[in-house]
Amino acid sequence: MKKAYEKETNPTAKEIFKTILANVEVADRDNMLICQDTGLPIYMVKVGSKFPVDGAKISAALKEGAKRATVEHPFRGSSTHPVTRVNPQTSVGEGLPIIYWDFVADSDCLDILMIPKGSGSENVSAMKMFIPADGVSVLKKFVIDTVLQSGSNPCPPGIIGVGIGGTADLVSKLAKEAIARPVGSHNHDPFFAKMEDELYEAINSLGVGPMGLGGDVTTLAVHIEWAYTHITQNPVAVNTQCWPARRARAKVYPDGRVEYGF
Ligand code: SF4
């Protein structure tokens, strides 16, 4: 964010960056929330093949953790029934918390990444099933159009996560995984790494700027995750992360050690 502030030339945008940076400082100093919408609890879990606890117990513990974070700590109760809109104020319910599982060979570590996701950024998510005849340029246009249409709603500048390939559900998950990557990282595949840079340049030439009020910096990073798809399909998804890009990681080891980080 500091680098983005230095790069920004629009005076109004620079003021917005100053406010954002002051917000971060105050939140750090006073141990307060950086934004009132702490979002939905989302966990990305990697279980090492040598980690000695079964998945059901881990799942139950994550649920309990989400509940305690809401009842005992300042995680806002933002989770509600989709039709009755009844909110149990626990962040736990049918399908919640959201847990994505992965498994790692020859590892004794349980790696838990928590990415709370607010609604301003999640609400502008988009997915479309293109066909191969549409070509690559249409995928890029879809990503750029999505960011443009999002305007101020996702509290830019944040991270634009892009999923390409897979199925309708997998492509959305890939876009979510893309926002979880650290800013400055690139996809392992040179083709998609180049596309990340191209989209980054294109999006930052839109002029949307911080908080959508105009400026040079519309996004801090564009991350792509991809998967093989069907010969007649070309799905693309966009998941936008807002500027706080909150995340917390715990690495748990069999001897009880826990390393915290991001
Ligand atoms: S989009 Fe992000 S920064 Fe904006 S209000 Fe929602 S959670 Fe907060």
Side-chain angles (χ1 to χ4, degrees):
M1 289 300 276
K2 280 182 180 160
K3 277 188 198 160
Y5 165 70
E6 282 157 19
K7 199 170 131 188
E8 183 61 61
T9 59
N10 179 306
T12 308
K14 269 192 126 43
E15 284 305 310
I16 293 168
F17 269 117
K18 274 191 202 164
T19 308
I20 288 174
L21 291 167
N23 182 353
V24 174
E25 213 176 290
V26 171
D28 261 353
R29 189 191 63 211
D30 297 344
N31 198 23
M32 286 166 67
L33 294 174
I34 207 165
C35 171
Q36 87 291 342
D37 185 0
T38 52
L40 296 181
I42 302 169
Y43 298 99
M44 291 187 177
V45 184
K46 288 185 182 158
V47 189
S49 57
K50 297 177 193 162
F51 188 76
V53 177
D54 72 63
K57 279 188 182 162
I58 298 168
S59 177
L62 292 175
K63 254 189 192 176
E64 182 61 17
K67 194 173 168 183
R68 286 186 57 194
T70 313
V71 175
E72 300 172 24
H73 299 285
F75 198 84
R76 192 177 77 176
S78 309
S79 312
T80 185
H81 186 285
V83 177
T84 64
R85 311 309 292 184
V86 171
N87 181 343
Q89 297 289 342
T90 59
S91 300
V92 170
E94 186 83 14
L96 268 186
I98 297 159
I99 307 173
Y100 295 113
W101 298 93
D102 206 349
F103 303 92
V104 184
D106 296 324
S107 162
D108 65 352
C109 175
L110 172 68
D111 181 354
I112 303 167
L113 179 65
M114 207 278 193
I115 315 171
K117 193 80 198 304
S119 72
S121 51
E122 190 69 8
N123 276 351
V124 295
S125 305
M127 189 279 287
K128 186 147 182 175
M129 301 299 288
F130 289 101
I131 56 169
D134 292 323
V136 177
S137 57
V138 172
L139 300 186
K140 291 185 195 169
K141 184 174 180 303
F142 178 76
V143 175
I144 295 163
D145 285 349
T146 301
V147 175
L148 193 57
Q149 281 159 19
S150 305
S152 62
N153 293 307
C155 295
I159 303 167
I160 306 299
V162 180
I164 297 177
T167 52
D169 52 336
L170 177 59
V171 78
S172 299
K173 178 175 174 265
L174 291 169
K176 178 77 88 229
E177 282 174 5
I179 61 154
R181 270 177 33 206
V183 169
S185 61
H186 273 93
N187 191 276
H188 63 91
D189 183 295
F191 176 85
F192 288 105
K194 188 164 169 273
M195 197 190 282
E196 289 175 339
D197 288 342
E198 288 165 358
L199 285 169
Y200 173 82
E201 293 299 330
I203 289 168
N204 280 323
S205 69
L206 293 174
V208 174
M211 293 298 162
L213 294 173
D216 308 318
V217 184
T218 299
T219 186
L220 302 175
V222 178
H223 297 160
I224 299 175
E225 292 296 319
W226 60 281
Y228 270 56
T229 189
H230 190 277
I231 49 172
T232 65
Q233 287 174 357
N234 213 5
V236 61
V238 178
N239 197 277
T240 308
Q241 180 60 295
C242 49
W243 70 261
R246 292 158 293 191
R247 70 184 86 186
R249 167 169 265 130
K251 285 185 169 184
V252 187
Y253 296 92
D255 62 4
R257 264 182 312 127
V258 186
E259 290 170 2
Y260 295 102
F262 299 100

